[in-house]
Amino acid sequence: MGTRLSIVPPEDYRLGRDVCSYGYFVLWPNHWDVDRRALTRSLELPEGPAAVGITQPSEIPGGKLTARFDRALARPEQAEAKRQIARMLRLSESADDIAAFHRVDKRFKKTGHGRLFRSPTLFEDVIKTVTSCNVAWPSTVNMNQRLCEVVGRKTGLDGFPTFPTPAKMARTRVGTLRARCRVGYRDQRMVELGKLFAPRGKKPPELDPEWFEDPANDDEVVFKRLIDLPGIGPYAAGNIMQLLGRYSRLAIDTETIRHAKNVLGYAGTERELHKKIEAHYEPFGAHKFRSYWFELWEFYEQKAGPAETWRRDSVARAFTASQLK
DNA sequence: GGTAGACCTGGACGC
DNA sequence: GCGTCCAGGTCTACC
């Protein structure tokens, strides 16, 4: 008999909207079940891997969330599971926090957009970001699926292996990552990231995720530490900043450039476009990334329908910038 | 500080 | 079915 947990989210929280709000919701081991309206995935817990399905039975904003696990969880594991779920669903961002964003950018008040889905751990967010660099989206989907299947651990639910832990990634041979996970030249960088995030014997990891998450630390300092990590350049660091809840800067990639040209109507050289993009989002200050992202996301939804209806293995996998031109 | 080229994968295209 | 070209961000060497 598996454990069932009840979680009270912020009063404006709507599961479908707030999970299907960032591309990572279609990356393994995440799976948004369109028909059941459930987020299913695996988690690494102190006693081993577990699969979980999260629903919001009432479908009312702020309605209680139900998390059903495929095995029984002891009290300490329940606490850890709740912590990971809260990170993933951004439950720490209160209705007041989202209202503050909507005061700065009124365009998203009606839909309630404000929270961006992320991973249960910073390590998974960092690796997912590395898999999104220098590839088209379908390759990112493939890399994450293979990392889970090849390096992750099985759970009691078929098709839901875990995302690799830092320790497991650190021990994985680069040849395995390249040949079986098809991560290409990112292989060595992923192993190095695993080593940085993994505990060193009885010592804590060289990188402390809590330091990056601590709002007391300045955005500039955090950004500089991120950009020093292997495989992390300006775009990746900018993206990890928003995944850390730091929305004061953009993460400009080719998709941003496409958006600037096709939707905002800007023209010019790459450098000129960067300046125009920065100027366009400057009025949104500390919420800059959110304004950029939901502008882009609503464009995607106009093209492909509400994100809550995107099926991981068809619509979402085929989603590429070239199809949006 | 700025720039060119290598790094890989997979999709598109032509034959 | 095969070969070629190209897109995509980071890193290194060089100016």
Side-chain angles (χ1 to χ4, degrees), chain A residues 27 32 59 71 74 88 104 251 274 289:
Chain A
L27 296 183
W32 173 252
E59 294 274 334
R71 65 173 177 81
M88 186 166 56
V104 173
H274 271 242
F289 188 92

Side-chain angles (χ1 to χ4, degrees), chain A residues 86-315:
Chain A
R87 184 183 196 281
M88 186 166 56
L89 303 185
R90 304 247 193 193
L91 301 183
S92 64
E93 292 186 356
S94 69
D96 285 346
D97 293 334
I98 303 303
F101 165 53
H102 292 157
R103 279 196 293 277
V104 173
D105 192 339
K106 295 179 172 54
R107 296 175 296 172
F108 305 108
K109 190 173 180 182
K110 191 175 176 187
T111 59
H113 277 312
R115 297 183 186 84
L116 287 97
F117 181 78
R118 60 179 173 176
S119 304
T121 65
L122 174 59
F123 177 69
E124 185 176 327
D125 274 339
V126 169
I127 296 294
K128 277 185 159 54
T129 300
V130 170
T131 66
S132 74
C133 291
N134 204 26
V135 285
W137 183 249
S139 293
T140 302
V141 177
N142 287 338
M143 279 187 239
N144 279 275
Q145 178 174 350
R146 286 165 173 162
L147 283 170
C148 293
E149 289 176 338
V150 175
V151 190
R153 294 202 286 174
K154 283 186 179 173
T155 63
L157 194 58
D158 276 349
F160 287 93
T162 60
F163 195 82
T165 61
K168 187 71 193 299
M169 190 75 90
R171 291 196 306 271
T172 305
R173 291 191 307 184
V174 290
T176 300
L177 291 174
R178 183 171 294 215
R180 297 183 61 199
C181 303
R182 313 294 291 168
V183 303
Y185 63 86
R186 300 165 192 78
D187 53 2
Q188 185 65 47
R189 296 169 192 175
M190 286 184 177
V191 170
E192 286 171 19
L193 286 165
K195 287 177 180 167
L196 290 168
F197 278 90
R200 299 162 292 174
K202 288 182 180 175
K203 288 186 189 171
E206 193 171 335
L207 289 184
D208 175 15
E210 286 182 18
W211 182 87
F212 288 92
E213 311 250 0
D214 186 350
N217 292 317
D218 185 70
D219 278 4
E220 277 307 306
V221 180
V222 172
F223 184 81
K224 279 182 184 156
R225 283 202 60 186
L226 287 172
I227 216 163
D228 281 343
L229 298 178
I232 306 299
Y235 160 74
N239 192 55
I240 297 168
M241 289 292 281
Q242 69 84 5
L243 292 164
L244 287 165
R246 300 172 183 273
Y247 305 108
S248 64
R249 57 169 70 228
L250 301 171
I252 296 178
D253 63 359
T254 51
E255 191 56 6
T256 325
I257 299 295
R258 180 202 59 74
H259 182 72
K261 287 179 179 170
N262 297 356
V263 180
L264 303 179
Y266 293 153
T269 64
E270 187 97 358
R271 187 175 294 188
E272 287 166 346
L273 284 170
H274 271 242
K275 280 187 179 173
K276 287 177 182 176
I277 290 166
E278 291 289 355
H280 177 78
Y281 295 105
E282 193 55 40
F284 305 111
H287 301 282
K288 216 181 280 180
F289 188 92
R290 286 203 255 228
S291 288
Y292 156 65
W293 183 256
F294 289 114
E295 201 175 288
L296 194 63
W297 198 246
E298 291 195 351
F299 171 75
Y300 291 162
E301 291 193 315
Q302 279 171 19
K303 294 274 181 184
E308 296 173 49
T309 65
W310 299 352
R311 294 180 190 275
R312 182 180 71 175
D313 298 322
S314 53
V315 180

